[in-house]
Amino acid sequence: MDSTEATKGKESVQKRSPLDLIMNQLRRKASFTERKKPAVGRLFRPSESRDKRNVGIPEVKESEASEGKENNEPGKEINDTDDEAGSVVGWGRVKQFVQKLGKTPHSQNLSLSHCDMTATDVVELATLLPFLAQLEVMDLSWNDLVGGSLKALTIHLQHVGKLRVLKLCSCRLTNQDLTALGEALDCIPLIEVLDLSWNVGVGAGNFRHFTEHLQAESTLKELRLVDCQLSETDITALSEALRMLSSLEELDLSNNKLSIKGMENFTSSLGSTPRLKTLKLSMCGLSKDSISILGQALRSVPALEHINLSCNKEAGGGLTMLSTNLALLTHLRSLDMHLCCLSKEDVLALVQVASSLKELRELDLSSNKSVGETLQNLLQTLPLSQITKLPLNNCALSTHACHALATAMQMLKQLESLNLSWNKCVGENLKQFLEPLPPDCKLQDLRLSSCNLTTEDVLQLESACQRGVLSHLKQLDLSYNGSVGDGGWMSLFGKAAALKGLEELDVSLRPSASLSVSPWLPALLEALPQLSSLTCLSLQHWALSSAEREKLEKILRKKNVILECDRLAMPKAAG
């Protein structure tokens, strides 16, 4: 920070707001007699202790002060009133600062992400912390210039001793910032959530500047270090820190390259976190051997409920060694291994232990082609009656696999999300998935993008709407199904009254196929008033005339619905 900016920051800190001047004038005009005078409102409400009155949130205090409600008792010292008035003035400064950054002030939750904060703003915020004694959540994420100036804030954290959540994502933190944050941990003894994700400066051997200040029996429950370019040195520092994080419940190291040695160091300390419930290692470059090392460590974290190993494309073959120890995780509720290039043997290994995972609610094996030929085996062992989420998109499902899933639909009574996108065999077979749905179906998210759906499939979807089995649906994705005829869309929109809970609807076409909406647009326009919960409508690559678009936008504007649609274009010939 150069001298000009420093001078500007100093002036900003010392400058008094107009509200300060007004309140000072009011206090000077108030006589001693007036300060002792009880407020009329006090006679009409139960008496309160002095301690309880002092705990009131700034918003309430400001409102009471503006109405002249001075609840001083005879004999109470004048400086108590001054302190309360000062608190009101301070909260006024907080409001002015937060609103200047385009945010809404709140005494317990300070959200200043994406505000283009400068180093001067950080200094000014530091001077306002004494007026935020009730603060529990502070989010300064996605402000690049916070980096390098964090110490100006951390040296004042003793004023927010109730802070539980601190988010500093993508702030360009430096090693000096990490040191300052570590040194300030004693000032925020109740901290439970720390998010330092997307800070390259956390890696490159710098993480130790923070971890060396951790104390035994830390209260930290959630630590997120997504995409921090952690090195082996950083992983070693993390491993040593885990021994002091016995309360840790969630650890997210996604998007950090973890070597075999790094995995060995990391997993060796997992036994120090017996309460760990969520472990996320997505896109960590895990290999078959890495998965094997993790599998051995699972014995030391029996409380695990959520494991995310997705997008590790070299992990294929590792599940055969991981699955044996998965059976020990009796509390496991979700397992995500999508896009892991799993082999047929991997899925069959999971089949062997699936019956032991009695608490499993979510299983994501999407974007693994081998699932298509082993799905029937998997469905026979999963606890289907309690599965809530089952993504099977891009799994190369065969007609045989589709039939097996259709048969299992009757047992998926708690299913809330089903994704069959990019499975061509769904086309002309949608009826067998929809017919078994019970009247009390809980399905909220149905995705059928690029499934080669036909007009008959959409008519079956319309029939399901009419039966009321899709009344809880919130997201419906029918995009990239250009073979559906106009009659199908007209019929579906005609039954829109049964989709009152629908929030997002996507019927976009592929970029290469642009058709006219004219045949079915009137049905959609008539249906929109009945879709009371709709927030987003996507019609990408459909061609609308200027008049059609104007009609559509007029209705959507009244409902505050986002329209995703191309600019005006002439329709291309079908095919």
Side-chain angles (χ1 to χ4, degrees):
M1 183 168 62
D2 58 30
S3 59
T4 302
E5 189 175 6
T7 303
K8 184 179 178 181
K10 185 175 180 181
E11 291 175 353
S12 176
V13 172
Q14 295 177 346
K15 185 177 179 181
R16 300 178 66 82
S17 69
L19 184 56
D20 290 340
L21 301 176
I22 294 173
M23 292 304 301
N24 284 336
Q25 291 175 4
L26 289 176
R27 288 201 298 273
R28 285 197 294 269
K29 290 180 180 180
S31 66
F32 179 76
T33 304
E34 288 173 331
R35 291 178 184 175
K36 290 171 56 179
K37 191 180 299 180
V40 175
R42 184 179 177 186
L43 302 176
F44 296 95
R45 63 171 182 255
S47 61
E48 298 176 325
S49 68
R50 174 180 172 180
D51 290 339
K52 187 173 181 180
R53 288 198 302 273
N54 289 340
V55 170
I57 64 174
E59 294 97 321
V60 176
K61 287 185 176 181
E62 182 181 16
S63 176
E64 291 180 350
S66 65
E67 296 174 10
K69 296 181 179 179
E70 311 266 2
N71 295 329
N72 297 314
E73 299 175 2
K76 187 176 181 181
E77 294 184 8
I78 298 175
N79 62 358
D80 287 344
T81 303
D82 290 339
D83 288 344
E84 184 171 343
S87 177
V88 172
V89 174
W91 177 244
R93 289 178 57 199
V94 172
K95 287 181 62 178
Q96 187 179 43
F97 174 76
V98 175
Q99 290 171 348
K100 176 187 70 174
L101 295 175
K103 298 289 186 173
T104 302
H106 193 286
S107 63
Q108 294 179 309
N109 189 336
L110 184 64
S111 179
L112 298 177
S113 62
H114 297 278
C115 283
D116 293 324
M117 290 182 68
T118 64
T120 302
D121 292 326
V122 175
V123 173
E124 184 175 357
L125 174 59
T127 67
L128 299 176
L129 291 186
F131 310 112
L132 290 167
Q134 306 302 317
L135 192 65
E136 295 183 4
V137 179
M138 180 158 59
D139 186 356
L140 305 182
S141 300
W142 305 100
N143 289 292
D144 289 348
L145 298 183
V146 168
S149 58
L150 192 62
K151 187 172 183 178
L153 181 70
T154 58
I155 59 176
H156 294 282
L157 286 182
Q158 71 272 15
H159 297 296
V160 289
K162 296 183 179 181
L163 194 68
R164 295 186 303 102
V165 179
L166 179 58
K167 298 181 179 181
L168 296 167
C169 304
S170 190
C171 287
R172 292 191 179 180
L173 299 183
T174 65
N175 58 345
Q176 292 90 349
D177 294 323
L178 293 175
T179 298
L181 181 59
E183 292 173 345
L185 287 176
D186 289 340
C187 300
I188 44 177
L190 303 181
I191 192 71
E192 296 180 353
V193 179
L194 180 61
D195 195 342
L196 303 178
S197 299
W198 295 289
N199 282 290
V200 176
V202 172
N206 292 326
F207 193 46
R208 62 182 177 83
H209 293 292
F210 170 75
T211 59
E212 63 188 12
H213 296 282
L214 285 170
Q215 300 295 323
E217 303 302 323
S218 168
T219 58
L220 204 60
K221 293 183 178 180
E222 299 179 19
L223 178 59
R224 300 176 189 137
L225 301 169
V226 178
D227 198 11
C228 287
Q229 296 190 17
L230 300 181
S231 64
E232 283 191 7
T233 302
D234 298 310
I235 295 299
T236 299
L238 173 63
S239 301
E240 295 172 353
L242 289 179
R243 299 187 178 98
M244 292 175 283
L245 300 179
S246 59
S247 297
L248 196 65
E249 296 181 2
E250 177 177 331
L251 179 60
D252 192 348
L253 301 180
S254 298
N255 290 42
N256 289 287
K257 180 72 173 180
L258 299 181
S259 64
I260 296 294
K261 183 178 179 181
M263 279 296 291
E264 290 175 342
N265 287 337
F266 162 61
T267 56
S268 66
S269 298
L270 281 181
S272 301
T273 58
R275 302 179 186 176
L276 193 66
K277 296 181 179 179
T278 301
L279 179 60
K280 297 181 180 180
L281 299 174
S282 177
M283 292 187 69
C284 286
L286 301 186
S287 65
K288 173 181 176 180
D289 293 334
S290 300
I291 296 294
S292 177
I293 293 171
L294 176 62
Q296 296 171 14
L298 292 182
R299 297 173 179 272
S300 59
V301 280
L304 268 180
E305 297 181 4
H306 310 280
I307 302 178
N308 187 343
L309 303 176
S310 62
C311 303
N312 287 291
K313 296 183 179 181
E314 298 178 8
L319 190 54
T320 55
M321 292 173 279
L322 177 71
S323 58
T324 303
N325 293 300
L326 279 179
L328 302 176
L329 303 180
T330 55
H331 301 287
L332 191 65
R333 297 176 65 87
S334 70
L335 175 62
D336 187 350
M337 294 196 71
H338 78 267
L339 198 59
C340 282
C341 296
L342 298 181
S343 65
K344 179 179 179 180
E345 289 70 26
D346 286 322
V347 181
L348 292 178
L350 181 59
V351 168
Q352 298 300 316
V353 300
S355 58
S356 302
L357 305 176
K358 300 185 183 302
E359 296 297 319
L360 195 65
R361 300 291 188 275
E362 302 179 7
L363 178 62
D364 191 348
L365 300 180
S366 60
S367 297
N368 287 291
K369 303 295 184 181
S370 59
V371 173
E373 53 184 323
T374 54
L375 183 61
Q376 183 177 11
N377 305 80
L378 190 60
L379 292 174
Q380 291 174 348
T381 56
L382 286 175
L384 297 179
S385 61
Q386 58 195 35
I387 294 292
T388 61
K389 185 176 181 180
L390 190 61
L392 293 169
N393 47 295
N394 198 24
C395 282
L397 298 184
S398 63
T399 302
H400 185 68
C402 284
H403 179 70
L405 178 59
T407 303
M409 290 299 292
Q410 297 178 1
M411 293 172 280
L412 291 166
K413 297 180 180 180
Q414 303 299 320
L415 191 64
E416 297 177 358
S417 176
L418 178 63
N419 191 342
L420 298 177
S421 298
W422 302 93
N423 287 293
K424 305 303 181 183
C425 70
V426 175
E428 299 184 347
N429 290 299
L430 189 59
K431 179 180 179 180
Q432 59 181 320
F433 295 106
L434 298 176
E435 280 192 339
L437 296 179
D440 59 345
C441 177
K442 296 178 172 58
L443 200 60
Q444 298 180 19
D445 186 358
L446 179 59
R447 301 184 183 272
L448 302 169
S449 177
S450 191
C451 284
N452 275 358
L453 297 185
T454 64
T455 301
E456 179 61 27
D457 290 321
V458 175
L459 291 177
Q460 291 299 326
L461 191 60
E462 173 262 323
S463 177
C465 292
Q466 193 171 11
R467 298 198 321 268
V469 297
L470 299 178
S471 59
H472 295 289
L473 207 60
K474 294 182 179 180
Q475 285 88 29
L476 178 59
D477 185 357
L478 302 175
S479 61
Y480 291 11
N481 286 290
S483 53
V484 176
D486 297 329
W489 300 123
M490 291 176 62
S491 181
L492 177 63
F493 296 138
K495 302 300 179 182
L499 297 174
K500 292 183 178 180
L502 194 64
E503 298 175 1
E504 299 179 15
L505 175 61
D506 190 347
V507 294
S508 300
L509 294 175
R510 294 178 183 276
S512 59
S514 182
L515 304 173
S516 174
V517 302
S518 299
W520 51 264
L521 183 61
L524 174 61
L525 295 177
E526 187 175 345
L528 285 175
Q530 302 176 71
L531 299 174
S532 55
S533 301
L534 193 66
T535 60
C536 182
L537 174 64
S538 185
L539 299 176
Q540 296 283 12
H541 311 303
W542 285 96
L544 292 85
S545 67
S546 57
E548 289 171 335
R549 181 158 188 153
E550 184 178 349
K551 289 180 182 179
L552 181 60
E553 290 181 337
K554 182 177 181 181
I555 294 177
L556 296 181
R557 196 178 300 116
K558 291 180 180 178
K559 295 171 58 65
N560 198 28
V561 176
I562 297 173
L563 174 64
E564 296 178 350
C565 184
D566 297 326
R567 295 184 178 181
L568 301 178
M570 293 300 294
K572 299 177 182 178

